[in-house]
Amino acid sequence: MEVINTSGRRKTSVARIYMTPGQGIITINGKDIKTYFPSEVLQTIVNQPFQTLESIGKYDVKANIKGGGVSGQAEALRLAISKALVVENAETKSVLRKEGFITRDPRMVERKKFGKRKARRSFQFSKR
């Protein structure tokens, strides 16, 4: 039984996973996927790589996720799972790349600048 170890990132979230052949049990930070991501949409995001390759229920995933919000964490986990599937079988890379699951989303929050209220938003202008 081979354990595949990969990581995925999105915004400020980092997901580290350990994937083994199994019954399709996904455990995140010691909790089941249904309790960690109660939203159906986020569960779908996590399962997308498996759905694309029609391999739902073939692998067990144990994940440690840190940082960010729920959608960032779900997408980080999706990237990690996609990477693990490519390590397991290199021929799946082109299929997953076409769906956009291999690419790390580079968009990050822009930093706040001094003299501004946010990154680009100015303070309210007062004529008098």
Side-chain angles (χ1 to χ4, degrees):
M1 190 171 85
E2 188 196 354
V3 178
I4 299 165
N5 174 279
T6 56
S7 67
R9 299 167 70 135
R10 169 80 169 95
K11 290 187 176 183
T12 55
S13 306
V14 180
R16 296 172 302 152
I17 71 157
Y18 304 91
M19 195 169 85
T20 54
Q23 291 87 45
I25 300 159
I26 299 175
T27 316
I28 305 159
N29 294 353
K31 296 179 188 169
D32 184 61
I33 187 171
K34 288 187 171 55
T35 50
Y36 196 85
F37 293 129
S39 159
E40 198 68 44
V41 176
L42 296 174
Q43 288 175 33
T44 311
I45 286 173
V46 172
N47 283 313
Q48 274 175 331
F50 294 129
Q51 280 172 336
T52 309
L53 301 174
E54 280 124 37
S55 60
I56 291 176
K58 289 185 184 171
Y59 299 99
D60 286 348
V61 176
K62 273 191 179 153
N64 297 316
I65 310 183
K66 270 191 194 151
V70 281
S71 66
Q73 288 190 348
E75 289 180 33
L77 183 54
R78 179 176 75 181
L79 177 62
I81 289 169
S82 301
K83 280 172 151 181
L85 288 166
V86 169
V87 169
E88 206 262 331
N89 183 2
E91 284 129 51
T92 60
K93 189 169 186 171
S94 59
V95 180
L96 292 169
R97 162 106 38 222
K98 204 166 75 184
E99 294 292 323
F101 300 152
I102 302 291
T103 312
R104 159 45 162 127
D105 194 333
R107 295 176 296 173
M108 296 291 279
V109 176
E110 195 174 334
R111 79 172 205 78
K112 185 201 173 297
K113 279 74 165 192
F114 52 86
K116 297 272 188 179
R117 205 170 84 188
K118 294 169 81 179
R120 297 187 180 194
R121 170 88 162 89
S122 300
F123 294 111
Q124 185 169 351
F125 178 71
S126 168
K127 199 166 184 179
R128 288 184 186 87

